[in-house]
Amino acid sequence: MSTDLTQTAESKGEMEVRRHTITIFVEVNGKDKEVRFDHSAVTGAEIRSKAGVPTTDDLTRRVDGKPVGGNITPTDRIEIKDGEHFLAAPNGVVS
């Protein structure tokens, strides 16, 4: 005699929490670095830290290969989207 075992998930009033990873790309010294977050509101300092952006560099979004939106300071809080690109460049390059 054979017995099949299957596991079923039952809801017992507990909410299942699913984490979505947001991946962005930060160009630092000419090379893209993949950076992952589990939340979409991040600070410039968080991006800089995870991507290894030098403290003297500016940071900006890159759209269609061009910098847009000006410098993101370490204290700026911004919303990020999966697949977005950013650029770290020497101070003064990003306006």
Side-chain angles (χ1 to χ4, degrees), residues 1-3 9-10 15 17 23 25 30-31 44 46 52 64-65 68 70-72 74 76 83 85-86 91-94:
M1 181 168 115
S2 152
T3 304
E10 293 182 31
M15 187 167 77
V17 177
T23 304
F25 302 90
K31 295 183 181 178
E46 287 177 288
D64 296 326
V68 295
N71 185 37
I72 300 167
D76 286 343
H85 289 259
F86 292 80
N91 188 307
V93 172
V94 174

Side-chain angles (χ1 to χ4, degrees), residues 52-70:
V53 174
T55 57
T56 56
D57 281 7
D58 288 343
L59 177 68
T60 189
R61 289 182 198 267
R62 193 173 66 191
V63 177
D64 296 326
K66 297 177 185 173
V68 295

Side-chain angles (χ1 to χ4, degrees), residues 10-70:
E10 293 182 31
S11 176
K12 297 182 181 177
E14 295 177 18
M15 187 167 77
E16 183 177 327
V17 177
R18 292 186 186 253
R19 294 275 184 193
H20 176 71
T21 301
I22 299 168
T23 304
I24 63 171
F25 302 90
V26 182
E27 183 182 323
V28 181
N29 296 323
K31 295 183 181 178
D32 273 348
K33 293 191 176 182
E34 190 174 292
V35 181
R36 297 174 190 265
F37 290 96
D38 64 0
H39 53 285
S40 64
V42 300
T43 64
E46 287 177 288
I47 295 173
R48 290 164 187 270
S49 175
K50 285 192 173 198
V53 174
T55 57
T56 56
D57 281 7
D58 288 343
L59 177 68
T60 189
R61 289 182 198 267
R62 193 173 66 191
V63 177
D64 296 326
K66 297 177 185 173
V68 295

